[in-house]
C-alpha cells in the first residue's frame, strides 16, 4: 500500500506544475550525478588495471628477499622444496645492484638486474621487447637488454652497434684503496635488445645474465638478491605467501605483488575514494531539489493526509509513504544514471572518443573498466541520499496536525 500511494503521487498531475518540474529536475540531477560517478570510477578502474598490467610485466607474483642485508642464500635443496609448494609455477634467481655504465664519454647510473634462464617464465619482459631480442648471453659473451629511455641516454644502438657497454660496480671486500679504480670491479656487456614497459623501468634497468653480476659482485653460486616466483593461474597470492614464509622462516621476507608496490596501489585507491567522496557531496547538494519537491508535495496532499489519519493511519505509515516517494525519485534517477554511465563507458571502450593529451602514453584514450562493485556502491549511496533527503518532509507530513477545511 505504501508504494501504491507513493507511485500514484509521483505519477499524478499536480495542481501546481512547479511540483512536477522540481521532481523531474531532482531525477535529472541524480541521474547526471550517478552517471558521472559510474564513469569516473570506471576510468579509475581502467587506469588501475593498466598500471597493474604494466607492473605485473616486471614484478613477479611473489618475491622472496632478505629480511636484512642485501643478499640471501638458497641451496638447491631449498629451491626444490619451494618448487613443491602448492601454487608455485616457476621461480627465477635474480641479483640487483646499482652500477655506472659507460658507452662513449658520458657515464650513466643504472640498476643492473642479473637473471637466470627461468626469468622469462616468471615475468613478461620478453614480450615487451621493441628492438633487438631478449638475450642475456653466456660465459663467452654476456649481453644486456636495456630499458628504452636508458638506451637513449647512453646513445646505444642495440641493432647496429657492436661496441660494448662498460659496467662498474663497487667491490664488496675492499677496505682501503689508493685510486678509485681499486674500489670498483668492471666488465663489458654487449647490447642485445630494448624493452619498453613503463618509464620507471625503462629509464633505469639493464637486464643481463646472473653469472655476470655474481662475478662482478663476488657472490657465491647460490647467493642472490631475491627469488622471483610465478604463481599457478588462479592461485591465491596471500595463501602462497603464507606457505612460503612458513617454509623459509623469519630470515626471509616474502612479498606479494601488491606489497612490492604498496605505496603505488595505496595512492591509486586513495585518489579513487577521494573522487567518490567529492562527487557524493555534489549529489547531496543536488538532493536539495528533492527536499523542495517533497515538501511542496506534502502541502499539496494535506487533504489526503488528513483523510488517511481520520481512517486510522498511523504517523509511521504517513512517513513511509513520503520516504517511498523520495526513494522512487532517487531510484528513477539512479537507473537513468546507470544507463547513461554504461552507454558512455561502452562508447569509450569501443571508440575512444575522449583522448589523452600528449604522445608519451601507452594508450591513446582514457581506459575504462566497469566493476559491478562500483554499481552496488553507487546504488547504496543514492538510496542513502534519497532517504536522508526525504526524511525531513516525511517527518513533517507525519507529525503536523492537519485539519480538513469546509468547502
Amino acid at each position: 500500500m505504501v508504494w501504491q500511494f507513493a507511485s500514484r503521487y509521483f505519477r499524478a498531475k499536480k495542481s501546481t506544475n512547479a511540483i512536477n518540474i522540481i521532481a523531474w529536475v531532482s531525477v535529472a540531477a541524480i541521474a547526471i550525478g550517478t552517471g558521472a560517478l559510474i564513469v569516473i570510477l570506471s576510468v579509475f578502474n581502467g587506469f588501475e588495471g593498466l598500471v597493474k598490467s604494466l607492473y605485473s610485466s616486471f614484478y613477479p607474483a611473489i618475491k622472496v628477499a632478505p629480511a636484512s642485508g642485501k643478499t640471501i642464500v638458497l641451496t638447491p635443496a631449498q629451491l626444490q622444496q619451494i618448487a613443491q609448494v602448492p601454487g608455485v609455477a616457476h621461480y627465477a634467481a635474480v641479483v640487483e645492484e646499482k652500477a655506472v655504465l659507460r658507452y662513449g664519454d658520458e657515464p650513466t647510473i643504472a640498476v643492473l638486474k642479473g637473471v637466470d634462464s627461468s626469468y622469462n617464465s616468471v615475468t613478461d619482459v620478453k614480450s615487451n621487447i621493441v628492438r633487438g631480442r631478449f638475450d642475456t648471453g653466456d660465459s663467452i659473451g654476456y649481453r644486456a637488454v636495456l630499458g628504452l629511455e636508458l638506451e637513449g641516454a647512453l646513445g646505444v644502438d642495440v641493432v647496429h652497434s657492436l661496441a660494448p657497454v662498460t659496467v662498474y660496480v663497487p667491490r664488496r671486500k675492499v677496505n682501503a684503496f689508493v685510486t678509485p679504480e681499486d674500489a670498483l670491479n668492471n666488465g663489458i656487456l654487449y647490447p642485445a635488445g630494448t624493452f619498453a614497459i613503463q618509464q620507471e623501468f625503462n629509464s633505469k634497468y639493464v637486464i643481463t645474465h646472473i653469472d655476470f653480476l655474481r662475478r662482478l659482485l663476488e657472490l657465491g653460486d647460490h647467493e642472490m638478491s631475491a627469488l622471483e616466483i610465478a604463481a599457478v593461474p588462479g592461485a591465491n597470492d596471500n595463501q602462497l605467501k603464507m606457505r612460503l614464509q612458513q617454509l623459509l622462516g623469519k630470515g626471509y621476507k616474502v612479498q606479494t605483488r601488491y606489497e612490492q608496490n604498496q605505496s603505488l596501489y595505496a595512492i591509486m585507491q586513495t585518489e579513487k575514494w577521494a573522487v567518490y567522496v567529492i562527487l557524493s557531496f555534489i549529489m547531496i547538494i543536488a538532493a536539495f531539489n528533492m527536499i523542495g519537491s517533497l515538501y511542496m508535495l506534502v502541502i499539496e496532499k494535506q487533504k489526503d493526509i488528513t483523510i488517511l489519519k481520520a481512517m486510522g493511519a498511523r504517523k509511521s505509515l504517513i512517513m513511509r509513504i513520503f520516504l517511498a516517494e523520495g526513494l522512487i525519485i532517487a531510484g528513477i534517477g539512479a537507473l537513468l544514471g546507470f544507463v547513461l554511465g554504461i552507454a558512455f563507458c561502452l562508447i569509450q571502450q569501443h571508440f575512444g572518443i575522449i583522448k589523452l593529451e600528449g604522445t608519451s602514453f601507452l594508450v591513446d584514450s582514457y581506459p575504462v573498466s566497469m566493476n559491478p562493485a562500483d554499481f552496488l556502491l553507487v546504488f547504496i549511496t543514492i538510496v542513502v541520499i534519497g532517504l536522508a533527503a526525504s526524511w525531513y518532509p516525511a517527518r513533517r507530513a507525519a507529525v503536523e496536525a492537519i485539519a480538513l477545511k469546509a468547502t
Side-chain angles (χ1 to χ4, degrees):
M1 184 173 68
V2 170
W3 291 100
Q4 290 176 345
F5 274 107
S7 60
R8 184 175 178 180
Y9 284 167
F10 179 77
R11 289 183 284 106
K13 186 176 180 180
K14 316 298 189 300
S15 60
T16 304
N17 287 333
I19 300 176
N20 297 81
I21 294 172
I22 295 174
W24 282 106
V25 167
S26 302
V27 170
I30 293 173
I32 293 171
T34 301
L37 261 176
I38 293 297
V39 171
I40 294 298
L41 293 178
S42 298
V43 170
F44 270 96
N45 292 336
F47 275 114
E48 183 178 352
L50 177 63
V51 170
K52 284 183 177 179
S53 68
L54 293 175
Y55 275 73
S56 64
S57 297
F58 197 83
Y59 286 108
I62 300 291
K63 180 179 179 180
V64 179
S68 61
K70 298 183 67 175
T71 62
I72 56 175
V73 175
L74 290 172
T75 64
Q78 288 176 301
L79 293 176
Q80 184 63 29
Q81 289 179 322
I82 290 172
Q84 294 174 353
V85 172
V88 173
H90 303 279
Y91 63 82
V94 300
V95 175
E96 287 192 22
E97 185 60 67
K98 287 186 178 180
V100 175
L101 308 183
R102 183 181 292 275
Y103 185 84
D105 298 328
E106 293 296 327
T108 301
I109 296 176
V111 176
L112 282 181
K113 184 168 186 173
V115 302
D116 63 19
S117 58
S118 301
Y119 182 69
N120 287 324
S121 300
V122 175
T123 65
D124 202 27
V125 176
K126 188 175 182 179
S127 64
N128 290 277
I129 298 296
V130 293
R131 279 194 291 274
R133 65 190 189 279
F134 189 96
D135 182 8
T136 58
D138 50 34
S139 57
I140 298 174
Y142 293 110
R143 298 185 180 277
V145 181
L146 301 94
L148 182 63
E149 277 83 2
L150 187 58
E151 178 196 24
L154 286 170
V156 177
D157 185 346
V158 299
V159 177
H160 301 101
S161 177
L162 299 177
V165 176
T166 305
V167 178
Y168 299 92
V169 298
R171 296 180 64 183
R172 299 179 69 193
K173 301 177 182 179
V174 173
N175 297 321
F177 53 88
V178 177
T179 64
E181 288 76 10
D182 294 335
L184 300 172
N185 284 332
N186 65 81
I188 59 172
L189 294 171
Y190 293 92
T194 304
F195 67 85
I197 298 176
Q198 199 264 355
Q199 187 175 8
E200 179 183 348
F201 310 131
N202 302 343
S203 61
K204 69 178 184 179
Y205 274 99
V206 176
I207 300 175
T208 185
H209 201 287
I210 192 171
D211 291 342
F212 172 79
L213 210 49
R214 277 174 172 163
R215 179 178 61 80
L216 284 187
L217 296 173
E218 302 169 2
L219 300 178
D221 291 341
H222 307 307
E223 200 169 357
M224 62 192 77
S225 299
L227 186 73
E228 299 189 351
I229 298 172
V232 173
N236 186 292
D237 289 351
N238 290 318
Q239 292 180 358
L240 180 54
K241 171 193 170 180
M242 292 174 60
R243 296 188 192 109
L244 291 169
Q245 191 71 70
Q246 186 176 7
L247 173 67
L248 296 171
K250 296 182 179 180
Y252 301 85
K253 180 172 61 176
V254 184
Q255 296 176 305
T256 63
R257 184 178 287 126
Y258 172 81
E259 291 169 335
Q260 296 170 52
N261 305 279
Q262 192 167 3
S263 59
L264 172 70
Y265 294 146
I267 289 172
M268 288 193 298
Q269 288 298 315
T270 301
E271 291 176 342
K272 181 178 178 178
W273 282 107
V275 170
Y276 162 76
V277 170
I278 292 171
L279 288 179
S280 296
F281 273 119
I282 294 174
M283 292 185 65
I284 291 172
I285 295 173
F288 279 101
N289 289 323
M290 187 190 303
I291 298 174
S293 172
L294 290 175
Y295 199 82
M296 293 177 69
L297 182 63
V298 170
I299 298 173
E300 168 85 10
K301 300 299 180 182
Q302 284 184 359
K303 189 176 294 186
D304 290 1
I305 294 170
T306 302
I307 293 173
L308 286 172
K309 287 183 176 181
M311 294 174 64
R314 296 182 178 181
K315 293 180 180 180
S316 60
L317 176 63
I318 305 298
M319 190 168 185
R320 289 201 304 272
I321 290 173
F322 287 93
L323 287 175
E325 179 79 9
L327 288 178
I328 289 174
I329 294 174
I332 294 174
L335 290 176
L336 291 175
F338 285 159
V339 172
L340 291 173
I342 292 171
F344 182 88
C345 289
L346 291 175
I347 292 172
Q348 180 67 15
Q349 284 178 340
H350 289 88
F351 302 104
I353 56 175
I354 308 299
K355 302 293 184 181
L356 286 166
E357 296 182 2
T359 58
S360 60
F361 296 100
L362 296 174
V363 291
D364 297 327
S365 57
Y366 281 92
V368 293
S369 176
M370 289 179 283
N371 188 341
D374 291 337
F375 284 83
L376 179 60
L377 174 65
V378 172
F379 182 76
I380 293 173
T381 303
I382 299 302
V383 170
V384 172
I385 292 175
L387 286 173
S390 308
W391 182 84
Y392 180 73
R395 183 176 178 276
R396 291 296 299 269
V399 301
E400 282 188 355
I402 303 175
L404 282 173
K405 295 181 179 179
T407 58

